[in-house]
């Protein structure tokens, strides 16, 4: 299959449009994938830095802190999981993980170490750009003319959307981008059950994607807001539906399970960027675009 031909063709290190909408660090040891992804991001108006391994990625991030990182999981030497963890140690930054592995455990592990999303090769570069822009929109403060969302508080939890700050009993919580958005959404809708498809649409802003993304983020969020994550009292699992935020923190008997309907989840809507299908068998890493 012929690879898509990006335009413009950026240089090997970085691409700098005159008016960038976001600074993106692309980390991939496959020069073809890196070039195609960079081309599409530049054409969408982003400033792009590139690195082909973990140490180079960390050095570039230290030199120019990115607004978002597109990070390949299978890097030589220091893999993407370690790079993601080291970036998190340096400061908050959204991460979209690229993986050529079809094993769900690898994708979930990427989310566990703090990636905000993953995209499985082969992927559509246009869909990747849409995901990048969706994440960037959520990380930026609202324009001054738009009133900031009101602060939220319930069950000892407090969220300030304008400051992107969340606390539990006065102690600040270290939340990723999606964990923060998910907690804020639950606090806005106490007592209401939401399916994972609804949460993906309302919190992630996507009509497609692997539903295990929601499952993992709920599990991570429980680990930070629950007194006993193994016996959650605030974010309850509603069997056959999804999840419900219970501000009273009741723990009475309920038809619950560790997972909502569908277990760890499959694709919702089958969108190309979130669908599985790459198993390292040698096919092209980027889908041809018509």
């Amino acid at each position: 299959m012929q690879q898509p031909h990006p335009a413009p063709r950026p240089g090997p290190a970085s691409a700098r449009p005159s008016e960038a909408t976001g600074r993106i660090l692309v980390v991939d040891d496959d020069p073809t994938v890196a070039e195609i992804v960079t081309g599409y991001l530049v054409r969408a108006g982003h400033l792009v830095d590139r690195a082909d391994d973990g140490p180079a990625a960390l050095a570039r991030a230290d030199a120019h802190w990115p607004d978002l990182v597109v990070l390949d999981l299978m890097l030589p030497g220091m893999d993407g999981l370690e790079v993601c963890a080291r970036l998190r140690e340096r400061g908050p930054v959204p991460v979209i993980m690229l993986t050529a592995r079809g094993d769900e455990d690898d994708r979930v592990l990427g989310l566990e170490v703090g990636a905000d999303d993953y995209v499985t090769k082969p992927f559509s570069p246009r869909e990747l750009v849409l995901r990048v822009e969706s994440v960037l929109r959520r990380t930026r403060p609202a324009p001054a003319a738009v009133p900031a969302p009101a602060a939220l508080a319930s069950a000892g939890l407090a969220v300030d959307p304008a400051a992107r700050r969340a606390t539990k009993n006065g102690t600040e919580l270290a939340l990723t981008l999606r964990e923060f958005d998910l907690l804020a959404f639950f606090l806005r809708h106490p007592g209401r059950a939401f399916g994972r498809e609804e949460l993906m649409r309302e919190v992630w802003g996507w009509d497609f994607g692997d539903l295990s993304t929601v499952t993992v983020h709920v599990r991570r969020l429980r680990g930070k807001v629950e007194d006993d994550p193994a016996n959650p009292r605030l974010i309850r699992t509603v069997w056959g539906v999804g999840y419900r935020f219970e501000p009273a923190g009741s723990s009475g008997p309920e038809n619950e399970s560790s997972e909502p309907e569908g277990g760890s989840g499959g694709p919702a809507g089958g969108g190309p960027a979130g669908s599985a299908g790459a198993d390292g068998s040698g096919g092209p890493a980027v889908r041809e675009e018509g």
Side-chain angles (χ1 to χ4, degrees), residues 8-18 20 22-24 38-39 41-42 46-50:
R9 296 176 65 88
S14 62
R16 289 174 167 79
S18 57
R23 187 176 202 118
I24 315 299
T38 298
L41 289 169
V42 168
H46 301 288
L47 184 154
V48 180
D49 291 316
R50 280 170 51 179

Side-chain angles (χ1 to χ4, degrees), residues 149-175:
L152 305 164
S154 181
L157 300 171
V159 169
D160 184 345
R164 301 291 296 183
R165 183 173 183 265
T167 60
K168 176 184 177 182
N169 298 326
T171 301
E172 188 158 0
L173 297 170
L175 302 179

Side-chain angles (χ1 to χ4, degrees), residues 250-277:
S250 63
S251 58
E254 183 177 1
N255 186 16
E256 293 198 358
S257 168
S258 60
E259 300 289 350
E261 182 178 10
S264 61
S275 59

Side-chain angles (χ1 to χ4, degrees), residues 29 58 74 163 211 267-268 276 282 284:
D29 64 319
L58 297 175
M74 299 180 68
L211 297 180

